[in-house]
Amino acid sequence: MVEELNSILAVERRKRIAQLVESNGSINYADLERSFGVSRMTLYRDLKALEGMNRLRCVRGGAVRLDNAVISEPMPSKKRALHRREKELIGRFAAQNFVREGDFIVLEAGTTAACMIKHLARPGVTLISNGLETIREATNLLPTVTVMGCGGILREPSYTFVGPQAEMFFAQLRAHTAFLSASGLTLENGLMDPNPLEIQVKRAMVACAERLVVLMDSSKFGVRSLLQTLPLDQVDVLITDDRITDKFAEELRARGIDLRVVLA
């Protein structure tokens, strides 16, 4: 009777895990342990079983959707909650090591770049973004930091300004560093995102900056989205967490990317 009950519980748990990976694009062991209250070894067996059923792909630290599944755009609330610790560490490292007094910096509207904001209170820094929530949060830095927004069409669900006005705004600027993330990254396609309007603005951000620093937690590696945002040869620095696999790290460095790994 106990074995039968455990079997039923395992089936239901795996079904829910598969749903989480499908909706969010990825999951890590820490999130799974909080959600299900079972051991990591049990979760490891669950993920392996689901991988055997072609429901997901196991990676170091968790699992991602299969490479042939296209990542759609998640709601901001889901993005903020997912891999929060890794994003916080990546954002702090980026702010402390790649922003100097007097810098003009461009922040895209993603949740990882937003984690930089609380660490940016340096004299003379100018923060420029197309993200409504990013700009709102950056008001906490006034008057030490100058905050600029691009205008344009406000798009849901990301609450970002897009369209020709936003693109032309960035085309007129000359910034020191652009800080970007993406929905996924593959070695073949580079950075990938689901929305063409967002992609055009991101490309304008990169074109106006001397340097591109990509902020991305390792759950997004090997994950495809709808369209290529940028090829890897445009990335100067990539900051990620220590769940990146050695093989993927070697491949990125072989492509000339300055890879920085923060300890999660």
Side-chain angles (χ1 to χ4, degrees):
M1 185 68 178
V2 174
E3 289 184 3
E4 182 179 354
L5 178 60
N6 287 338
S7 178
I8 293 172
L9 291 173
V11 169
E12 289 301 316
R13 186 175 60 250
R14 289 170 185 177
K15 179 180 177 182
R16 178 62 181 147
I17 291 171
Q19 290 171 343
L20 287 170
V21 174
E22 179 64 25
S23 62
N24 295 324
S26 63
I27 198 77
N28 63 30
Y29 282 116
D31 292 335
L32 289 171
E33 287 171 335
R34 284 191 293 267
S35 297
F36 297 100
V38 295
S39 70
R40 185 159 297 203
M41 183 54 67
T42 297
L43 293 168
Y44 175 81
R45 289 193 291 266
D46 289 340
L47 295 183
K48 282 298 182 181
L50 289 166
E51 185 176 50
M53 293 184 284
N54 291 321
R55 299 294 302 276
L56 50 75
R57 181 167 63 87
C58 292
V59 296
R60 182 182 177 187
V64 298
R65 292 200 325 195
L66 295 174
D67 277 352
N68 60 1
V70 175
I71 294 295
S72 59
E73 185 171 13
M75 294 297 292
S77 58
K78 288 185 177 180
K79 292 172 68 175
R80 282 191 292 270
L82 195 62
H83 308 297
R84 184 67 187 180
R85 173 172 169 75
E86 289 85 351
K87 291 176 181 179
E88 290 282 359
L89 292 170
I90 291 167
R92 182 176 66 183
F93 182 90
Q96 292 176 344
N97 292 276
F98 291 93
V99 181
R100 303 162 300 184
E101 291 186 10
D103 272 1
F104 297 90
I105 62 170
V106 174
L107 262 65
E108 63 109 9
T111 54
T112 308
C115 290
M116 294 178 61
I117 295 173
K118 67 184 75 172
H119 307 288
L120 288 175
R122 293 179 181 80
V125 168
T126 298
L127 184 158
I128 312 155
S129 182
N130 73 322
L132 182 62
E133 288 300 312
T134 301
I135 295 167
R136 182 198 61 76
E137 186 173 349
T139 60
N140 295 320
L141 303 176
L142 298 172
T144 304
V145 171
T146 301
V147 180
M148 296 178 64
C150 65
I153 301 167
L154 187 61
R155 191 183 77 84
E156 288 187 298
S158 62
Y159 294 109
T160 51
F161 292 102
V162 297
Q165 185 177 356
E167 294 168 35
M168 287 188 290
F169 172 86
F170 286 105
Q172 299 172 42
L173 301 181
R174 293 297 177 266
H176 293 97
T177 308
F179 295 91
L180 263 65
S181 189
S183 296
L185 183 153
T186 69
L187 297 172
E188 298 78 19
N189 298 296
L191 305 182
M192 304 192 77
D193 284 297
N195 188 276
L197 294 174
E198 295 278 2
I199 288 172
Q200 288 300 111
V201 176
K202 285 187 177 184
R203 289 173 178 169
M205 289 175 169
V206 173
C208 80
E210 297 174 3
R211 174 177 62 177
L212 170 60
V213 177
V214 173
L215 316 177
M216 185 174 289
D217 70 80
S218 60
S219 70
K220 295 180 178 180
F221 297 149
V223 175
R224 292 193 304 125
S225 192
L226 183 63
L227 297 166
Q228 182 191 65
T229 303
L230 295 166
L232 287 178
D233 61 13
Q234 291 194 35
V235 178
D236 297 302
V237 181
L238 194 156
I239 306 172
T240 189
D241 60 80
D242 59 0
R243 290 192 175 96
I244 185 174
T245 64
D246 292 339
K247 182 177 180 182
F248 208 94
E250 290 172 4
E251 291 284 357
L252 290 171
R253 290 189 172 110
R255 285 163 168 75
I257 294 173
D258 181 1
L259 181 66
R260 306 295 181 94
V261 179
V262 298
L263 298 179

